[in-house]
Amino acid sequence: MDKHTNKKWTIIYSAVAIVLITIYYLVNLPLFKSWGEYVPFVRKLSLSLFLISVIYLISKFVEKLIYGQNHLEGDRYNLLRIVRFLALVFSLIVAASFLFQNLYAAAVSFGLISLVLGFALQAPISSFIAWIYLILRRSYLVGDRIQIKGFRGDVVEINYLDTSILECSGDYLGNDRRSGRTIRFPNSLILREEIVNYSGPEVPFIWNEIPLQIAYSSDLQFVEDCLLEAARRDFIEKYPRIDMQKHKKWEPAVYFRNNVYAWMEAVIMYPVQPHDTTGRRNRILKYALPRLNEAPEKVKFPQGVTR
């Protein structure tokens, strides 16, 4: 729900609350004496609906405050969910007090109903408890890329009972781009399976690598310099706000290893945001390969039986 929609519902709840409280006092006028025994019922009903309207009106004001704060997208999403859930709980309490004579009878009735539903709805209840765990533990937030039980994708929605992710890779792709399919799984799954979170506010990068096959007679120092220059150049252009001099841990690195086909591999390791793995790999190759190809006397790529 965006800010415009929030403003619209604020106006609606305000208007409804004014109408209901007006009805509450109007029915006491002599004009409505003919209603007799219905007057107490109308007053109690209008008062209950008025309180519910006020509860949701307050929730909209709280949501407006949340929108105004500089929260991360995932934290804002969770806060809004909590506010809406609390508004629903308080509304149910008001409704129960209307249906029953007092809150004690309502509490007893809720207890009996909860006991019966607890046996009948074990799966949804465990998913709801898992949602509370997610809010408190923050295992993943909206916008994070996660992997759980073979599913991998970007979290787009965390409901009270299930989570929705936009699948990455999947059955038809060999890269980390979104496949276009949506995966929904019950929140209770996080209580039984391990969660791999590829992103987060404190660790924005993961490490990726690109192997290039070269001959043993290549100038290894030249190859290393070219790959490091390409990785650093792309990092500065893609993430200009991050000073690599102050974050030495994000420095790219090159190492060499033997290939199973008898070639040597030059491997560039570099930091990358989870949503940019394919794009950053392509940019680094576009920067590095032209320079490597310009020096055939220093860099020899696989060709025929030449090692």
Side-chain angles (χ1 to χ4, degrees), residues 239-250:
Y239 314 114
R241 297 183 178 180
I242 300 179
D243 187 357
M244 189 174 288
Q245 297 298 324
K246 297 180 180 179
H247 299 81
K248 295 292 185 181
K249 61 181 179 179
W250 301 126

Side-chain angles (χ1 to χ4, degrees), residues 125-145:
I125 291 174
S126 61
S127 290
F128 179 76
I129 293 174
W131 173 76
I132 298 176
Y133 172 83
L134 278 173
I135 296 299
L136 298 177
R137 190 68 177 86
R138 301 174 81 240
S139 301
Y140 55 80
L141 303 172
V142 170
D144 288 354
R145 177 163 293 186

Side-chain angles (χ1 to χ4, degrees), residues 232-269:
R232 288 168 179 158
R233 175 183 171 183
D234 180 67
F235 188 92
I236 293 173
E237 293 179 357
K238 183 65 178 178
Y239 314 114
R241 297 183 178 180
I242 300 179
D243 187 357
M244 189 174 288
Q245 297 298 324
K246 297 180 180 179
H247 299 81
K248 295 292 185 181
K249 61 181 179 179
W250 301 126
E251 275 282 348
V254 173
Y255 69 93
F256 301 93
R257 67 189 180 194
N258 295 328
N259 184 269
V260 293
Y261 299 107
W263 293 97
M264 174 177 283
E265 285 188 348
V267 184
I268 173 71
M269 291 180 55

Side-chain angles (χ1 to χ4, degrees), residues 3 83 124 179 195 206 301:
K3 295 181 181 179
V83 170
S179 68
I195 303 171
I206 60 174
F301 289 109

Side-chain angles (χ1 to χ4, degrees), residues 72 75 138-146 196-206 250 272-275:
L72 293 172
D75 290 330
R138 301 174 81 240
S139 301
Y140 55 80
L141 303 172
V142 170
D144 288 354
R145 177 163 293 186
I146 66 169
V196 180
N197 193 330
Y198 292 91
S199 53
E202 297 180 1
V203 186
F205 298 112
I206 60 174
W250 301 126
V272 59
Q273 288 182 339
H275 301 82

Side-chain angles (χ1 to χ4, degrees), residues 3 46 159 253:
K3 295 181 181 179
S46 60
N159 287 318

